Amino acid sequence: MKFGGTSVADPEAIGRLIHIVRTQHAKKTAGDAPVVVVSALAGVTDALVAVAQFAEEGQGDRAAAAVRSLEERHVAVAVAITSDDNRARLLDEVRQEFKELAGLVHALAVLREVSPRSRDAVHAVGELVSSRIVAAAFAEQKIPSVWIDARTVLITDDEHNTAAPDMAETCERARAIVAPQIAAGKVVVVGGFIGATANGVTSTLGRGGSDYSAAIFGACLDLAEIQIWTDVDGMLTADPRIVAQPRVVPQLSFAEASELAYFGAKVLHPSTILPAVSKNIPVRILNSRRPENAGTRITADAMPAAGCLTAIACKRDVTVIDITSTRMLMAHGFLRRLFEVFERFKTAVDVVTTSEVSVSVTVDDTRRLEGILDNLHNFAEASCEREMAIICAVGENLRADPSLFGRAVTALDRIPLRLVSQAASRRNITFVLRDSDVAHAMMRLHETFF
Ligand code: ASP
Ligand code: MG
């Protein structure tokens, strides 16, 4: 059970967390205690990023002030959720953690140098203290529980700031250190996002890494399910800013989630749950304010209900580049030349469609557009059109049910489509159209399928 920043933001949120864990735990048999992975309290990692930045700029006073205010916030939460001995112990731990942070930050500010390794030591404090606070909250409620330092279990390489887990070592340690506690019926509380190198130096998995931690622990311990508790009801069938009253997607496949991730359906980043999905462990997204809702379940190979798509998504403000050349006719090497231009200008291409003499692509980063067009002009005609948008309809059913494609196109019959593409996976249909038509098109598709 992973709880994100907003689900541990303050004493009320922590109260909800306890309630959620207790309710689920009560339903299970002994020896089935959950592992609780927590993020830093909402906003804390951003604040720690700023602290490291101040130190790097030599602004020691500002950095120290920011550390003090973070300490105050954590102390206030700690006081609110504990009493007596629990409180004394927790305050000691929290104060000690911030004392070390203050010393570290002071040294960094004097040196005006923050290495990736030092940055991790600063950033990790959010999860170190949030996990201790949540562990103390369980103790206060007399729920059998134990805090485990993630750095003794989650072992990573030394690519600080974006460290990758050593799965073999981590799994071995998880089985040795975490599993016995679960078997003893204790709720294990552990900080997400953080780990340590083989030499014991603190590392982090990259921003948003707590989901990744949850998937790693779940995979190593062969758990039945991974729950990502957040502040939304799950993945939606469409962006609520564009389509009135989208629905929650009850389940989707990992591949569908990956298709949707590009379109900002970023409840979670699919690559972070890969360790779980590759072991066939379902991942559920749940709302900690509405725990009774079923949320969205992501599995290796879910199928939506017959006759339906899974979700539609869009990306606005993209640019279409049309490249035409008669030299392309029956020639080889043309596409290589063309894509080399995009590579040279470090610009990602999203949608691609081709005919025998033309290629159209979309890009959303237009910073180097001029150079790209210039270079393309060396061997082809090239023009661009801005203020376009991509709509992507995703569904595993597209493969089995050819009528879905027809229904989607029919829904858009009054709207000029610039490009249409369906890739070999046949899990999505992509339409490129004028940005000004997006809202209308999304509504038509949503009405048709949902
Ligand atoms: N606290 C970290 C971050 O904000 C990790 C996480 O929340 O997943 O990036
Ligand atoms: Mg987060």
Side-chain angles (χ1 to χ4, degrees), residues 14-236:
I14 295 171
R16 284 192 293 272
L17 179 160
I18 299 279
H19 181 73
I20 289 165
V21 174
R22 201 207 293 270
T23 311
Q24 291 215 2
H25 196 17
K27 280 189 248 163
K28 292 182 183 153
T29 49
D32 242 343
V35 178
V36 173
V37 177
V38 297
S39 287
L41 312 197
V44 168
T45 309
D46 286 337
L48 290 166
V49 168
V51 164
Q53 192 67 34
F54 293 148
E56 194 166 33
E57 294 160 359
Q59 301 195 62
D61 292 345
R62 271 183 96 175
V67 171
R68 272 196 303 278
S69 84
L70 280 172
E71 177 167 4
E72 276 160 31
R73 176 172 170 199
H74 286 87
V75 165
V77 174
V79 168
I81 58 155
T82 50
S83 61
D84 308 332
D85 284 357
N86 276 327
R87 179 180 295 171
R89 205 175 316 120
L90 177 59
L91 285 179
D92 269 355
E93 290 166 353
V94 170
R95 291 225 160 89
Q96 182 59 31
E97 209 60 69
F98 279 102
K99 192 172 155 203
E100 279 170 29
L101 176 63
L104 169 64
V105 168
H106 174 74
L108 297 174
V110 170
L111 292 168
R112 297 193 184 205
E113 188 191 343
V114 182
S115 66
R117 182 199 269 236
S118 315
R119 208 176 290 281
D120 272 351
V122 173
H123 294 176
V125 172
E127 270 72 7
L128 285 173
V129 285
S130 69
S131 58
R132 288 200 180 268
I133 288 172
V134 169
F138 280 107
E140 183 72 23
Q141 300 304 315
K142 309 223 166 1
I143 298 170
S145 57
V146 56
W147 178 80
I148 292 180
D149 188 338
R151 297 169 300 183
T152 62
V153 183
L154 207 165
I155 303 307
T156 72
D157 62 15
D158 54 9
E159 284 295 321
H160 286 280
N161 308 162
T162 53
D166 174 342
M167 287 304 281
E169 180 65 24
T170 301
C171 288
E172 200 169 296
R173 292 191 186 208
R175 282 190 291 267
I177 300 170
V178 183
Q181 301 287 358
I182 302 177
K186 287 192 186 159
V187 175
V188 172
V189 183
V190 66
F193 175 57
I194 60 175
T197 65
N199 294 328
V201 179
T202 301
S203 57
T204 70
L205 302 173
R207 293 304 306 271
S210 295
D211 295 340
Y212 199 10
S213 298
I216 293 165
F217 284 114
C220 284
L221 294 162
D222 253 317
L223 301 184
E225 177 175 82
I226 294 177
Q227 301 178 348
I228 307 286
W229 289 89
T230 177
D231 54 3
V232 296
D233 286 327
M235 295 262 206
L236 297 175

Side-chain angles (χ1 to χ4, degrees), residues 52 87 95 125 196 201 217 238 240 301 320 332 335 343 362 378 450:
R87 179 180 295 171
R95 291 225 160 89
V125 172
V201 179
F217 284 114
D301 50 11
V320 174
H332 58 81
L335 289 174
E343 188 188 349
T362 68
N378 291 337
F450 302 104

